[in-house]
Amino acid sequence: MKRSSFLIPAVSILILLTVLFPNVSSASKKEFKDYEILKENSGINAMHICLTAPDKMLIIDKVQNNSIHLPDGRPVSTLEYDLNTGKKRFLSLQSNTFCSSGGFIADGTLVSTGGAEQIPDKHFKAGFSALRFFKPCQNDKCKWREDLNGMMTHRWYSTSTTLSDGRLFILGGSKVSIAVNNKTMNNPTFEFYPRTDPTPIDFPFLIETLPYNLYPIVHLMPGPKDQTLLFVFANKDSILFDWDSKKTVHKFPRLEGASRSYPLTGTSVMLPLRPEDNYIPQILVCGGNEKNDTKHEAANSCGRIKIDLSNLDKAKWEIDDFGGIPRVMPDGVILADGQILFLNGAKTGIAGYSSKLGKVKNKLLKADNPDLTPVLYDGQKPKGKRFTKLNHSTIPRLYHSVASLLPNGQVFISGSSPQSDVTLSGVKFPTEFRIEMFSPPYLSSNTARATIKSVNGSKKLNQGPIKVKYNKHIKVDVELSDKKANFTAAIVHYGFITHSVHMSERYVFCDIKNIKRKGNGYTMDVVMPPNGNIMPPVPVYLYINNNGVPGETAVHLHLSK
């Protein structure tokens, strides 16, 4: 890799974060901190989140007694949050989004899928079979569009995944709201959006994995352009499924130990894909619980499996601990440098709402002992040395908490609503509206951060996604003065995040060629991945890292054929 030979004065990371995100508390101007609580809260619980623009987080809640209301008097259940100012733009929906899923399709539209029962007294309709569409815009006028019967069947706790052709694969769930799935309420089928089949297609794997099969884990398998394979995991089992032939092509060994699916909720990430490894995927599944027991300690274990499609019989689970901390309901966030941040959740119990104990005001907690200590996972290190404990937070993040990487390298953390309705006092774990910005260790480094100045000649960055093509070199100019600069590049899709499932989250390293010095920086060619199986045709963010430290902000791109 070519190295730079130009140095500029170091800029305080604290000043930089204040400029990028003035919505943090003034404490950040005095000293660097891992966590900063934003001045403006979320307004509603962040049950689901999705970044729709570099400075806009879409927040979705279920229909409940939120204190903010739409002009028609109904409670707000979805809004767009401005990361720079904290301003909230309230949006209107007609259906209940409780425990829905979502993902982007090829034209950049976010599609929200499924939901729960109607709420007559609040004038919301049932969302079980609903599709909701949100096309991000630059003028703050974009709205939700809904089709209340857009799906062919009811889906509650289903999973949505973007395919290589830009469609959405919608899998599983139950037909009604339910604490633990059963064979009567189970929905062991899948469908596509846009629709291609007249009826839902049977998916027997979701019968075999009862009762813990809600929000199944799904990863699109990297491979050649014409490949049509998905990795699907539920409970303790996993398969390789061909979504074109609609057949299971391989069953992997069982991941022994804890169950990993709701309500014994774990999480999963696909480790960053690397061209030098021919994009061979490795799947990591962590956390959960061995028993459906509110008092039972969560799982302190992870399973990791390497899937070489040329030799599937060698695919075996490697068991590791979970950084020495038991955790149920964790979130797995792939950071800007390709390491994995695990945070949120509890050390004991399961996912679900607290339940009443007769007329007693206190409630039976489904989970307790909140896990305030995040762990960092370096997948390039040998087993036993991959986890590092980080500084702890002070805010419990239990049921319905979320986290996502942001373009500036920070992590957005919000949510936690273990009560069945908005409850701000009188309980051990009230509904949580505070938003934290977590700064990973790379943001406390003295390493100079690159500033992307142009992409393919365009200097209009993050004013809408720049369209780029597969397998093409894109010209990137950066401003950076560092005699020891060492560049890496990656494109990241943050996904749709809810209930510890980061749907379609993906990180792909990109080759860099023709690095040349130019003025007070560098120009380089960044090679886009070869096809939609490596990264689907969705909005992504380009990171240019210097010695593992991300640039000041990633640039919004949209991959297309």
Side-chain angles (χ1 to χ4, degrees), residues 484-504:
K484 297 181 179 180
N486 187 355
F487 295 109
T488 55
I491 54 173
V492 181
H493 180 63
Y494 306 132
F496 181 95
I497 301 152
T498 187
H499 290 76
S500 302
V501 185
H502 292 233
M503 302 175 192
S504 301

Side-chain angles (χ1 to χ4, degrees), residues 536-554:
V538 291
V540 297
Y541 286 81
L542 170 67
Y543 288 84
I544 301 295
N545 298 339
N546 174 27
N547 287 294
V549 177
E552 293 181 6
T553 185

Side-chain angles (χ1 to χ4, degrees), residues 11-25 28-29 32 38 53-56 81-86 406-411 437 439 442-443 449-452 461-462 543 549-555:
V11 179
S12 167
I13 186 66
L14 303 181
I15 296 175
L16 176 60
L17 293 180
T18 302
V19 171
L20 287 174
F21 288 96
N23 186 29
V24 299
S25 75
S28 65
K29 299 177 184 179
F32 181 84
L38 299 192
D55 59 351
K56 297 292 194 301
Y81 184 93
D82 189 305
L83 294 165
N84 291 325
T85 66
L406 296 176
N408 73 339
Q410 290 185 297
V411 176
M437 289 291 209
S439 294
Y442 50 59
L443 291 182
R449 301 178 71 186
T451 301
I452 300 176
L461 307 179
N462 290 339
Y543 288 84
V549 177
E552 293 181 6
T553 185
V555 171

Side-chain angles (χ1 to χ4, degrees), residues 154 156 173-178 180-188 210 214:
H154 283 198
W156 187 78
S174 61
K175 298 172 185 176
V176 298
S177 302
I178 195 168
V180 177
N181 209 2
N182 61 51
K183 63 181 181 180
T184 302
M185 302 305 177
N186 189 30
N187 188 347
L210 280 168
L214 295 176

Side-chain angles (χ1 to χ4, degrees), residues 289 293-298 328 346-350 366-369:
N289 207 322
D293 184 341
T294 60
K295 302 297 183 182
H296 196 268
E297 185 176 78
V328 64
K347 296 178 184 177
T348 56
I350 59 175
K366 289 289 180 70
D368 204 345
N369 300 314

